[in-house]
Amino acid sequence: MKTVLSGIQPSGNLTLGNYIGAIKNFVKLQDEHNCYFMVVDLHAITVPQEPSSLRDRSESVAALYVAAGIDPSRANIFLQSHVPQHAELGWIMTTMVNMGELERMTQFKDKSEGKDSVGAGLFVYPALMAADILLYNANLVPVGDDQKQHLEITRDLASRFNHRFGSYFNMPEPFIPEVGARIMSLDDASKKMSKSNPVEGSYIAMLDKPDQIRKKISRATTDSGAEVVYDPSAKPEVSNLMSIYSECAGVSLQEVQARFEGKMYGAFKKELGEVVVAALEPLQNRYYEIRQTGEIHDILAKGAEQAQKTAAQILDGVKDKMGFLARK
């Protein structure tokens, strides 16, 4: 089986976009792949975090993985910080990446724009992300469009290592599903739905209450006109809402369009609210059960133990090829 590696930061509230674009696909991938799904808490601290919030959100993201259908008996679920090899290989990758490569990273430019001071961790973030992927010799990495650049630098570093020290790392490939890969903001369909957006009405959080979901969808921006037609270029706002309906109801976009032919936006948005509530309610119930029982701690311990076996073996091979003296 091919190996899949992906992770989500425990910062902000996971959104419907995270669920549709990432976690739902994690669930599908676990059936036919060797999967490692992390909570990337080391990446989260590239910007200041309040300790109790970081701790709670790390557990929350892991619990949402399980609540959404990731099976701990078929996939490794763990915290990045529980596997120390991530930090060690991250440093090794930092020594192999060039300043110019890091300066060209779009995310660094975006996140540092307008700031007087930027932490070095944010600058070298791609080296740690490369280490995350290479530590399991991953074949496939589920990524959004905004992460493609990070995967490219990972491939460059893998190739650079192989050239210098002999063939060792796989060349990871992006896994981008055709549908649902990019759910856009409710107030501006030109922007991705983001948990870091300060405008709460721009996103639906996975743990939003039903009335919050209905209210946010009722206030979602729509295009001029009133027809429920899928046309991302001419009608980006309603097309985004139709994508959400399609993913949450499990029907095609053609079926959504046919279902609301001749109906106005109001009727569509009202039913969309109920569809999203119905999709998230069972997940939410399972989430609160997991948090209450505390079972997530056993899941994370088991996942870290399994992940560390692979990570330690890969890292030992890296250090041997580079000439580090082995510990006796």
Side-chain angles (χ1 to χ4, degrees):
M1 290 193 294
K2 288 187 176 181
T3 296
V4 173
L5 182 286
S6 195
I8 295 177
Q9 284 195 34
S11 55
N13 300 310
L14 293 195
T15 70
L16 185 66
N18 294 125
Y19 176 56
I20 292 173
I23 300 175
K24 276 185 70 178
N25 290 305
F26 294 176
V27 175
K28 295 174 185 176
L29 286 166
Q30 71 183 343
D31 291 330
E32 297 179 358
H33 299 82
N34 180 29
C35 293
Y36 294 88
F37 297 128
M38 302 182 295
V39 180
V40 288
D41 49 352
L42 294 177
H43 285 301
I45 62 170
T46 55
V47 295
Q49 299 289 334
E50 200 283 315
S52 62
S53 178
L54 176 63
R55 192 173 295 115
D56 180 70
R57 283 178 169 165
S58 295
E59 183 177 334
S60 178
V61 172
L64 282 169
Y65 280 172
V66 179
I70 298 176
D71 183 349
S73 68
R74 289 187 287 165
N76 292 288
I77 302 170
F78 61 99
L79 297 188
Q80 184 186 26
S81 64
H82 287 182
V83 181
Q85 287 81 4
H86 283 270
E88 189 170 354
L89 186 58
W91 168 249
I92 291 173
M93 289 297 115
T94 300
T95 69
M96 298 188 67
V97 70
N98 300 321
M99 292 278 288
E101 291 173 313
L102 296 173
E103 288 169 346
R104 288 192 292 271
M105 300 303 291
T106 303
Q107 280 204 343
F108 173 74
K109 291 178 183 178
D110 292 345
K111 291 183 178 181
S112 61
E113 188 177 2
K115 295 182 179 178
D116 295 329
S117 177
V118 180
L122 187 62
F123 185 63
V124 299
Y125 171 102
L128 179 57
M129 184 172 177
D132 297 335
I133 296 165
L134 300 177
L135 201 50
Y136 304 94
N137 239 337
N139 306 102
L140 295 173
V141 183
V143 292
D145 290 338
D146 57 339
Q147 290 289 336
K148 282 183 179 179
Q149 198 179 24
H150 285 149
L151 186 57
E152 283 305 312
I153 205 169
T154 300
R155 289 171 57 86
D156 290 342
L157 287 170
S159 178
R160 192 169 301 159
F161 183 93
N162 291 346
H163 178 72
R164 290 184 189 176
F165 302 108
S167 181
Y168 190 66
F169 289 123
N170 293 328
M171 288 293 113
E173 298 287 344
F175 172 82
I176 304 174
E178 292 182 9
V179 179
R182 195 171 175 86
I183 297 299
M184 312 309 283
S185 171
L186 296 180
D187 63 351
D188 183 355
S190 68
K191 298 177 181 177
K192 182 179 177 181
M193 183 179 286
S194 171
K195 55 189 171 69
S196 62
N197 193 322
V199 181
E200 285 195 15
S202 70
Y203 64 84
I204 294 169
M206 289 177 69
L207 295 176
D208 273 348
K209 291 181 170 59
D211 285 347
Q212 287 178 290
I213 293 170
R214 296 183 183 104
K215 185 176 181 180
K216 287 180 179 181
I217 290 176
S218 71
R219 295 182 175 181
T221 303
T222 48
D223 309 282
S224 59
E227 291 183 321
V228 181
V229 176
Y230 188 76
D231 186 343
S233 58
K235 299 173 76 73
E237 308 289 352
V238 75
S239 296
N240 181 47
L241 296 179
M242 290 175 71
S243 293
I244 293 172
Y245 191 111
S246 171
E247 287 291 326
C248 289
V251 298
S252 69
L253 289 165
Q254 291 78 11
E255 288 177 89
V256 177
Q257 185 166 310
R259 191 171 293 183
F260 292 96
E261 187 175 357
K263 295 183 180 180
M264 307 287 280
Y265 286 157
F268 168 61
K269 289 165 80 173
K270 185 175 181 180
E271 187 169 330
L272 174 59
E274 299 309 316
V275 165
V276 175
V277 167
L280 290 181
E281 235 174 358
L283 182 155
Q284 292 175 354
N285 292 337
R286 175 65 178 132
Y287 167 83
Y288 290 116
E289 178 188 339
I290 293 166
R291 293 298 301 268
Q292 187 173 13
T293 62
E295 64 186 279
I296 194 63
H297 298 290
D298 291 333
I299 290 170
L300 289 173
K302 180 184 176 185
E305 182 180 358
Q306 293 297 319
Q308 192 164 357
K309 288 178 182 177
T310 301
Q313 184 178 2
I314 294 289
L315 182 60
D316 284 348
V318 167
K319 293 166 75 174
D320 178 65
K321 281 184 169 290
M322 293 182 73
F324 286 96
L325 183 64
R327 181 178 174 180
K328 300 298 183 182

